[in-house]
Amino acid sequence: MASLLPTHLLHRWRALWHPERYHGWGRKRRYFEGWYVRLVSPCEQYALALIPGIAMDEQGHSKAFVQFLDGKACRTAYHEFNATAFRPAADAFRVELDGSTFSGTGLQLDLPEVKGTLQYENTTPWPSRLGAPGIMGWYSFVPFMECYHGIVSLHHRLRGQLTLYGQAVDFTGGVGYMEKDWGRSFPSSWIWLQCNHLSDASPACLMVSVARIPWLGNHFVGFLSGLLLNGKLYEFTTYNGAKARVDIKEEERSVTLHFRRKPYEMRIRAQQEGGSGTLLSPLSGAMAGKVNESL
C-alpha cells in the first residue's frame, strides 16, 4: 500500500519511524528542520555546536543554513545558503550543504570558523518502540504539532581533527551529542538542558526539555527528559505518565526541576553562569526568532 504513495509522501511516512531522517519532503512553506550537533574536545577546552537546517517562510521563500556556536568563547555565526544547496538523503540522516556534510556517523566541515572531518564511534540513539518511534512517543503521530523533537545520539565518542579559527584541535576521545527539531515554530517558551559530562566511569548523558505546547486551541506544559547512566536510560516524559515540577528563579538565573516516575525520581538544579551566544530560531518556518544559549 505504501508503494502507491507519491515519492515525497513515501519518504515522509518512512521518516516517521526514523526521527533522525529528513521529514520535510514535499514541504514548501511554513516549515523548518534542523539538527543540533554538539562536539566537546577530550580536554573540555573546546565545546562547539553546529546546526544545519532548512527554513521555509509563509510566502514559500526557502533558505538553507548552518549555525555555529562556540560555547566557551560565546561566539556565534549564521551562514545562509540557497535552498538548492541543502541535499538530504531519504534513507538515513545525511545532509550535504555547500561543502559540509552532516550524518549519523560523522561530519565534514568547511565553514569560515571551523574546517575538518570527525567520525562518531558508539552512537546511542533514543530507543524506538512499537507506537513510540523516538523520544516523542505517540505524539510523533499527531499531525498538528507545532514542533517535533528527535534524539539522534545521546552519547558517542569523537575521532578526528578540526581546524578552529586557523588552529588545529584534536577532538579524538572527545564526546558528542545529536538531536533535532522540525515543524513550524519553536515553542513560545521552553527550558532546555543537556550534558554529557556527568561521569568519568561510563558513557553518561542528561537531556531535559520542558515547553509550552499548543493543543486544540489551548496549551499544556509538556516535557521530555532522559538520563543515560551505567548503560540504563531513565525516561521521564509526558507520554509515559511521568510528573514534573519546575521552579524558575530569574533573579538567580537558575531553574530547579523535579521529575517523578515510579520507582524513580530525578531532581536537577541548574545555574546559568558566564555569557551566552545568540542563535536564530524558527517562527512560522522563518528563522526570525532568537535564542540565548549558554554553556
Side-chain angles (χ1 to χ4, degrees), residues 81-237:
F81 310 92
N82 289 330
T84 54
F86 180 84
R87 298 186 297 276
D91 57 353
F93 163 39
R94 181 180 174 86
V95 172
E96 297 179 12
L97 215 172
D98 198 56
S100 296
T101 301
F102 303 85
S103 77
T105 59
L107 56 71
Q108 180 178 331
L109 299 173
D110 187 12
L111 298 170
E113 299 81 12
V114 58
K115 304 178 187 295
T117 302
L118 297 180
Q119 286 80 44
Y120 306 148
E121 299 176 342
N122 301 318
T123 55
T124 311
W126 189 278
S128 183
R129 308 180 181 92
L130 184 65
I135 193 171
M136 288 195 64
W138 62 264
Y139 284 101
S140 301
F141 301 104
V142 178
F144 53 81
M145 300 292 288
E146 179 182 53
C147 184
Y148 299 85
H149 193 74
I151 302 294
V152 183
S153 177
L154 288 161
H155 185 285
H156 50 270
R157 291 291 175 180
L158 307 174
R159 178 163 51 88
Q161 186 179 86
L162 297 178
T163 301
L164 181 64
Y165 312 125
Q167 176 184 349
V169 179
D170 189 2
F171 275 79
T172 299
V175 175
Y177 169 86
M178 289 185 288
E179 65 175 40
K180 64 170 299 192
D181 294 282
W182 68 99
R184 297 188 309 276
S185 303
F186 268 13
S188 60
S189 56
W190 73 91
I191 298 166
W192 179 82
L193 308 170
Q194 194 277 319
C195 179
N196 280 95
H197 293 78
L198 302 173
S199 169
D200 294 328
S202 64
C205 178
L206 170 68
M207 72 79 53
V208 175
S209 178
V210 182
R212 178 187 172 104
I213 309 297
W215 186 264
L216 299 175
N218 206 331
H219 77 276
F220 68 93
V221 177
F223 57 93
L224 306 168
S225 180
L227 173 65
L228 176 67
L229 194 63
N230 296 323
K232 181 177 175 62
L233 178 61
Y234 301 88
E235 303 175 36
F236 302 89
T237 66

Side-chain angles (χ1 to χ4, degrees), residues 50-65:
L50 286 304
I51 307 172
I54 186 86
M56 310 171 192
D57 67 16
E58 293 186 284
Q59 288 73 43
H61 301 134
S62 301
K63 291 291 185 180
F65 62 87

